[in-house]
Amino acid sequence: MEPQLLSIHYSDPLWIATAFLCGLVISRVGLPPMVGFLAAGFLLNALGVEGGDFLNVMADLGITLLLFSIGLKLKIKSLVRPEVWGVATLHMGMITLLVAAIIMVLSYTSLPLISGVDIGTALLIGFAMSFSSTVFAVKILDEMGATNARHGQVAIGLLVVQDIAAVVFIAASMGKLPTPWAMALIGLIPLRFLIYRILDRVGHGELLILFGIALALVGADIFELVGIKADVGALVFGMMLANHPKANELSKALLGLKELFLVGFFLSVGMTTLPGWSEALIALLFVLILPLKIAIYFGLFNLFRLRSSTSLRASLNLANYSEFGLIVGAIAVSAGWLPTEWLAVFAVVMSISFIVSAPLVNVRDRLYQVWRPWLKRFERSERLPGEENLELASIKVVVFGMGRMGTAAYNVLEPDYAASLIGVEIEQEKAIKHSAEGRNVVSGDATNPDFWTRAPELLDKLEWVLLTLPSQKANMDAALRLKEMGYQGRIAATTKFRDEEDALKAIGVDHTFNIYTEAGLGFANELQTFVGK
């Protein structure tokens, strides 16, 4: 008798191959592969293919690992910042009322699905449309190496606040409150020290990966058992490890698995239901409201003293509709509040918003350069810490990205350049730590056009720029910003692959350092010196 725990459906190879082909085609035109995965889902749906248990398990595991990875990079204190919880609550309220008002006006027409809708249902739909997608935003930020940037941290914190609101809504709408055992979750605080000790001892290989997966799944199950959304459990367990020295290593170790399993999520969204003309028309209506959603985000971020460039970047990170709309739809349909067709509306509007949002993120800096004079009018004169102006008139060498490679480069250069050397770190807490250790390091984002507004005198005497940012795209964007500002000095950048070296040199980078190749050469040279003694 064959095992029945989890069988591979006969169509699984078909959707895997279709996802690959669509992702490859979409990536060739400059869009994220996830857009191709969504398109693959709709294509398979149209062909009558249904996703089996394998796809569902893959999608659920991808989301769980994604939220666990978010937690690994998220500090609790980032949630209590006014620009996070203030913008989140105000935006949810404003969009809920705006969408509900539009629907109530249209309820007097003969528009399918909306005609005759009451105020309660309109508010429910508006609430679903007020959320932005955690999966999409974090995936984009990961690809850009901007998770720790100011705009990335603000966006992720805001999404967590939205997720908390989602948990409260689900509990209230289903009449399912957390069980009394939820109070026992306080015991996770002392348990963290035991988890720390285990993490110290798991090494750096497969045990580290297995420990991360196990912890994410255990966290999800524990929260589910006490009546709280499982995804929140994965997020919280990740946050418990955020301050551990191995948190970043664990996040990187899980990266490949997380990316693979998320293919299942994007496919499952596209395969949820096949929309008709009525559903597509209503979805298009919500897509037309998306610019208002972005504008409200931008206005609120400026109100809370972010620079206009940071506000625009954070707003475009959130320029989409959330998978939470599907959850609301499922609850509303099961309760008889909405007809089944609304599930198709929520699936289509979310998918289209992903397709619209992805290219916007890629061209955001070009848009900002064009709109800068107008957008600057919305800035407040006060500055948040980390966005204040910088006095960098006498700098000759700057190291962008003070991770291990950047710090090593800084330490080697310091004896020769002393006061004319500076490091720029995207994560504010790391910048503060470096400063406490005696290095001349400031918080800033080299890919942000407004960084050069913050430091207008930096280019005056600058001779060398070292780019050791966390991703190839970040290094490329920083190099392009330098060229746009008229920088004529030399640029060096770290890479991992040969094609990355070619891409950087094509835009004017003078020297590339392949961290894999050069590390091997360095080891060989050191060994030769040692043997010769």
Side-chain angles (χ1 to χ4, degrees):
M1 184 175 178
E2 295 183 358
Q4 296 297 318
L5 290 177
L6 182 62
S7 60
I8 303 296
H9 194 270
Y10 73 91
S11 64
D12 290 335
L14 172 63
W15 63 251
I16 291 172
T18 305
F20 167 74
L21 291 174
C22 291
L24 180 64
V25 171
I26 289 295
S27 67
R28 294 298 90 191
V29 297
L31 293 176
M34 72 174 77
V35 176
F37 304 150
L38 282 167
F42 283 118
L43 176 61
L44 291 170
N45 197 329
L47 294 174
V49 178
E50 295 182 1
D53 293 337
F54 181 67
L55 177 61
N56 293 331
V57 171
M58 189 177 180
D60 290 343
L61 186 54
I63 294 173
T64 298
L65 291 178
L66 175 70
L67 290 170
F68 180 72
S69 299
I70 295 172
L72 289 173
K73 300 177 181 180
L74 190 65
K75 308 295 192 296
I76 293 177
K77 62 183 179 181
S78 66
L79 300 181
V80 299
R81 294 173 180 167
E83 66 270 22
V84 172
W85 65 263
V87 173
T89 52
L90 286 172
H91 189 272
M92 279 192 292
M94 294 171 71
I95 291 297
T96 299
L97 293 175
L98 175 64
V99 173
I102 293 173
I103 290 176
M104 287 307 298
V105 171
L106 294 175
S107 68
Y108 293 101
T109 69
S110 58
L111 196 63
L113 298 180
I114 292 182
S115 179
V117 167
D118 59 42
I119 183 64
T121 304
L123 287 170
L124 173 65
I125 297 169
F127 184 66
M129 294 295 99
S130 70
F131 287 76
S132 296
S133 173
T134 301
V135 175
F136 181 89
V138 175
K139 183 76 166 56
I140 286 290
L141 290 168
D142 270 347
E143 290 178 354
M144 301 179 69
T147 303
N148 292 322
R150 168 59 66 89
H151 67 91
Q153 288 286 292
V154 168
I156 291 173
L158 186 146
L159 289 165
V160 172
V161 174
Q162 290 186 350
D163 284 343
I164 293 170
V167 173
V168 173
F169 169 80
I170 292 170
S173 62
M174 299 180 68
K176 180 184 176 183
L177 296 174
T179 69
W181 284 103
M183 296 298 297
L185 294 176
I186 298 174
L188 293 176
I189 298 175
L191 180 64
R192 184 178 69 167
F193 298 104
L194 174 61
I195 296 174
Y196 268 40
R197 296 191 68 178
I198 297 173
L199 186 55
D200 287 334
R201 289 165 171 75
V202 296
H204 307 279
E206 64 271 19
L207 282 178
L208 178 65
I209 298 174
L210 188 59
F211 178 71
I213 295 173
L215 203 59
L217 294 175
V218 167
D221 283 347
I222 288 176
F223 273 64
E224 185 74 27
L225 286 173
V226 298
I228 300 177
K229 196 165 176 259
D231 294 343
V232 177
L235 181 73
V236 169
F237 267 64
M239 291 172 66
M240 288 170 57
L241 299 180
N243 291 317
H244 192 280
K246 272 191 175 179
N248 189 49
E249 181 185 351
L250 178 57
S251 178
K252 291 180 179 178
L254 294 174
L255 180 63
L257 285 174
K258 177 185 68 178
E259 300 280 321
L260 173 63
F261 291 131
L262 279 175
V263 174
F265 168 78
F266 291 110
L267 271 170
S268 64
V269 170
M271 296 172 71
T272 299
T273 181
L274 192 63
W277 287 108
S278 297
E279 291 83 359
L281 180 63
I282 303 302
L284 181 60
L285 171 66
F286 288 128
V287 172
L288 293 177
I289 298 174
L290 193 57
L292 288 174
K293 187 175 183 178
I294 300 171
I296 293 173
Y297 271 131
F298 178 80
L300 290 173
F301 283 133
N302 277 285
L303 181 65
F304 282 84
R305 298 183 295 150
L306 290 175
R307 283 183 178 268
S308 60
S309 58
T310 307
S311 297
L312 181 64
R313 285 176 155 212
S315 300
L316 292 180
N317 292 336
L318 304 167
N320 46 66
Y321 291 108
S322 174
E323 55 277 0
F324 178 63
L326 293 175
I327 300 173
V328 171
I331 293 173
V333 168
S334 64
W337 301 334
L338 288 174
T340 307
E341 289 81 2
W342 274 99
L343 277 176
V345 172
F346 291 135
V348 173
V349 74
M350 183 180 71
S351 302
I352 294 177
S353 74
F354 286 3
I355 294 170
V356 171
S357 183
L360 280 178
V361 173
N362 288 333
V363 300
R364 64 186 184 185
D365 291 332
R366 276 177 273 172
L367 292 176
Y368 180 73
Q369 297 287 21
V370 173
W371 297 341
R372 185 201 293 258
W374 182 71
L375 294 176
K376 281 286 186 182
R377 299 175 186 175
F378 297 94
E379 282 188 351
R380 298 185 64 183
S381 57
E382 304 95 329
R383 292 281 178 262
L384 290 176
E387 294 216 318
E388 66 278 359
N389 290 336
L390 301 170
E391 298 293 334
L392 303 177
S394 58
I395 299 300
K396 293 182 179 180
V397 180
V398 59
V399 180
F400 285 112
M402 291 296 290
R404 282 178 295 182
M405 291 292 297
T407 302
Y410 182 101
N411 291 339
V412 170
L413 293 168
E414 189 173 24
D416 295 327
Y417 288 93
S420 60
L421 169 67
I422 193 167
V424 179
E425 169 56 41
I426 198 169
E427 190 173 350
Q428 189 174 5
E429 290 186 4
K430 283 187 179 180
I432 294 172
K433 182 179 178 181
H434 279 296
S435 296
E437 293 172 353
R439 299 184 185 93
N440 185 20
V441 177
V442 297
S443 175
D445 181 359
T447 68
N448 190 333
D450 264 9
F451 173 79
W452 310 100
T453 303
R454 292 179 59 201
E457 299 173 323
L458 177 59
L459 295 177
D460 292 349
K461 297 182 179 180
L462 195 59
E463 300 173 359
W464 261 109
V465 172
L466 278 65
L467 302 175
T468 63
L469 297 170
S471 74
Q472 165 74 356
K473 181 168 176 49
N475 279 336
M476 291 280 290
D477 287 347
L480 289 171
R481 295 293 86 75
L482 282 161
K483 294 297 182 181
E484 288 170 2
M485 295 301 297
Y487 174 64
Q488 300 295 320
R490 292 170 291 179
I491 305 174
T494 56
T495 64
K496 295 178 182 177
F497 306 104
R498 179 59 184 269
D499 60 327
E500 293 181 349
E501 297 180 53
D502 295 339
L504 285 164
K505 288 180 178 179
I507 62 172
V509 173
D510 300 283
H511 178 71
T512 57
F513 183 95
N514 188 307
I515 60 176
Y516 297 144
T517 304
E518 299 295 340
L521 291 174
F523 176 68
N525 290 334
E526 185 173 321
L527 184 62
Q528 189 176 34
T529 303
F530 175 77
V531 172
K533 288 183 179 180

